[in-house]
Amino acid sequence: MRGHGTYMDDDKLKASLAGVVERVNKLICVQPLKTRYNGEIGDVVVGRVTEVGQRRWRVDVNSRLDAVLMLSAVNLPGGELRRRSAEDELMMREYLQEGDLISAEVQAIFHDGALSLHTRSLKYGKLSQGVMVQVSPSLVKRRKTHFHNLPCGASVILGNNGYVWVSPTINEEKTESSGGYEQDLEPVPSTDREVIARLRNCILALATHKLMLYDTSVLYAYEASRQHQVKDLLQPDIAEKVADDTRQRLQMESG
């Protein structure tokens, strides 16, 4: 069946643009490589707070319009469950303020295409001590989970919106006790910083060479990059070699 980004030519289905092929049963679509994020309910996103408004925050999620995070859709500190009061509204900047990075889930889509977010699960909330990488949303592979603690000693959140967050391994017990709104500002050891920098450069190398991003591809790229210094991964020829090694290993596994 013909979907978006395809056309029929002499009884053959062809792509009308350069992009990533998506199959849903018999429906075939092509998602363009350079595109703004079009959200779906249930997507995991990483975003930056741009405005604190009346009982809501506006969040940049790489979409045409800023997403909305309502005060009623967040966990109160400590995971407390109760109605939001006027006092909570006055405390909004204590929870999140302009410039803060957050992870959230798409709860609903408004008629104009804007997204409504929520952070009610304790795995969502404010992000700190890491680095954000921006890639094309079409390169992030949809998986059951987008939160990964990699064996190399770092955590990765692969946002469906093309914002990828790399940080030291997340301590889930600490997150649960703070309700997801306390920033850990302890100094990060140099070994962890090197792992984060290497992962960031590996993700950029995969994205530049149009490889799909998911936990396995990121880990394989990290392992392929171990023979090079972190700064050398920014050189186009070495980034291409790491991407090619990753592609070959993924193809061997898929058979």
Side-chain angles (χ1 to χ4, degrees):
M1 285 176 64
R2 189 168 71 86
H4 290 293
T6 62
Y7 67 97
M8 296 299 295
D9 183 22
D10 293 335
D11 293 332
K12 289 183 179 177
L13 189 65
K14 295 189 176 181
S16 61
L17 46 85
V20 179
V21 177
E22 284 192 358
R23 289 183 176 87
V24 180
N25 297 329
K26 292 185 178 180
L27 180 69
I28 297 177
C29 306
V30 179
Q31 297 292 341
L33 286 173
K34 289 190 175 179
T35 179
R36 282 285 187 173
Y37 168 61
N38 293 313
E40 294 182 19
I41 293 172
D43 279 0
V44 172
V45 297
V46 174
R48 189 182 295 277
V49 177
T50 57
E51 183 186 329
V52 182
Q54 187 174 7
R55 300 186 73 85
R56 71 187 64 199
W57 293 270
R58 291 206 169 273
V59 185
D60 167 32
V61 290
N62 195 25
S63 185
R64 290 182 301 105
L65 300 168
D66 281 351
V68 174
L69 176 63
M70 300 297 293
L71 177 60
S72 58
V74 303
N75 260 335
L76 294 172
E80 202 176 342
L81 294 172
R82 58 175 172 76
R83 287 178 67 91
R84 309 304 189 261
S85 62
E87 190 177 331
D88 291 319
E89 194 173 343
L90 294 172
M91 292 279 287
M92 280 177 64
R93 281 184 194 276
E94 298 290 321
Y95 306 150
L96 295 168
Q97 58 185 346
E98 290 90 343
D100 282 348
L101 283 164
I102 62 166
S103 61
E105 185 178 310
V106 178
Q107 182 179 30
I109 302 173
F110 297 122
H111 61 86
D112 60 354
L115 306 177
S116 173
L117 308 178
H118 82 85
T119 62
R120 288 202 193 91
S121 169
L122 288 174
K123 66 183 177 182
Y124 303 124
K126 191 186 290 189
L127 302 172
S128 60
Q129 288 189 316
V131 61
M132 188 178 81
V133 188
Q134 184 174 353
V135 300
S136 172
S138 61
L139 293 176
V140 179
K141 193 168 186 176
R142 291 184 182 277
R143 309 282 275 187
K144 197 172 281 186
T145 177
H146 285 255
F147 291 78
H148 304 289
N149 283 340
L150 300 179
C152 58
S155 295
V156 176
I157 303 174
L158 296 166
N160 287 111
N161 59 331
Y163 289 167
V164 179
W165 178 254
V166 187
S167 64
T169 301
I170 297 168
N171 185 339
E172 292 182 5
E173 289 180 13
K174 191 181 287 187
T175 304
E176 288 181 14
S177 64
S178 67
Y181 290 100
E182 267 184 34
Q183 283 186 306
D184 182 4
L185 299 176
E186 289 289 316
V188 179
S190 60
T191 51
D192 286 351
R193 292 203 300 272
E194 187 176 329
V195 169
I196 291 168
R198 184 178 292 277
L199 275 171
R200 178 233 181 226
N201 292 349
C202 288
I203 289 167
L204 286 176
L206 293 178
T208 302
H209 295 89
K210 306 298 183 276
L211 265 74
M212 296 297 286
L213 295 172
Y214 54 107
D215 54 335
T216 309
S217 66
V218 171
L219 187 58
Y220 285 177
Y222 180 87
E223 290 171 359
S225 74
R226 295 291 292 273
Q227 56 190 308
H228 306 288
Q229 288 197 356
V230 174
K231 63 180 181 181
D232 293 339
L233 295 173
L234 295 173
Q235 297 177 18
D237 53 335
I238 293 178
E240 185 178 359
K241 185 178 185 307
V242 169
D244 285 343
D245 290 348
T246 305
R247 184 185 284 113
Q248 288 174 11
R249 191 170 170 188
L250 289 169
Q251 287 173 347
M252 283 172 59
E253 289 216 341
S254 62

